[in-house]
Amino acid sequence: MKEESSITSIARIIRSGQVLRIQGDALLLGDINPGGTVEATGNVFVMGTLKGTVRAGVDGNEDTVICASVMEPNQLSIGNTIYYAPDRYEDEKDNEYTNEEPVYAYIHRETKEVAFEKTRQLGQLYPHVANGTFEGL
């Protein structure tokens, strides 16, 4: 139970073909390259560029988030909901989040799809994450 409510911090780059599995929340100080994967039973925080795959709430918890300094994933999943990134050739003007600031992904309560918001708004939807109080998740 302690492992599930703790944050595991790792400073490294996740390269193509590598899979990092974490019990609880994961704080990665580095990048996730295309083809690299991070899986956690809790939230995933990437202090770097996310270009690979991240799976948060792998045990089915859809009340988790994925945060990244630069959000350019190939694939994200939160609980059992999967998000596939659009093809890179699409016009970047259509992307509301141009990586000018960190972004987080979450499950939208009404649409039940993966949605994105600027990380500075994280405390409004997920105060337990912003305050570091993860009890009850």
Side-chain angles (χ1 to χ4, degrees), residues 11-22:
R12 67 185 259 206
I13 295 172
I14 307 300
R15 302 192 185 283
S16 180
Q18 294 179 326
V19 178
L20 176 64
R21 291 183 178 91
I22 301 290

Side-chain angles (χ1 to χ4, degrees), residues 20-117:
L20 176 64
R21 291 183 178 91
I22 301 290
Q23 287 288 100
D25 294 329
L27 171 61
L28 177 67
L29 305 172
D31 299 333
I32 303 172
N33 288 342
T37 302
V38 173
E39 298 177 346
T41 57
N43 302 294
V44 178
F45 307 97
V46 180
M47 300 300 292
T49 301
L50 192 173
K51 291 188 176 183
T53 299
V54 173
R55 297 183 181 104
V58 295
D59 57 358
N61 184 358
E62 293 196 341
D63 198 29
T64 56
V65 298
I66 299 169
C67 298
S69 297
V70 178
M71 183 76 78
E72 298 177 0
N74 284 332
Q75 179 185 355
L76 299 177
S77 70
I78 299 173
N80 297 317
T81 304
I82 298 172
Y83 167 83
Y84 295 100
D87 290 331
R88 299 277 186 230
Y89 65 83
E90 290 184 12
D91 190 357
E92 295 210 11
K93 290 188 297 187
D94 294 338
N95 186 0
E96 183 179 347
Y97 302 102
T98 59
N99 297 318
E100 293 176 1
E101 64 181 280
V103 172
Y104 76 97
Y106 66 102
I107 300 295
H108 192 276
R109 303 224 190 276
E110 294 172 10
T111 64
K112 301 296 183 196
E113 294 179 350
V114 174
F116 298 88
E117 291 290 339

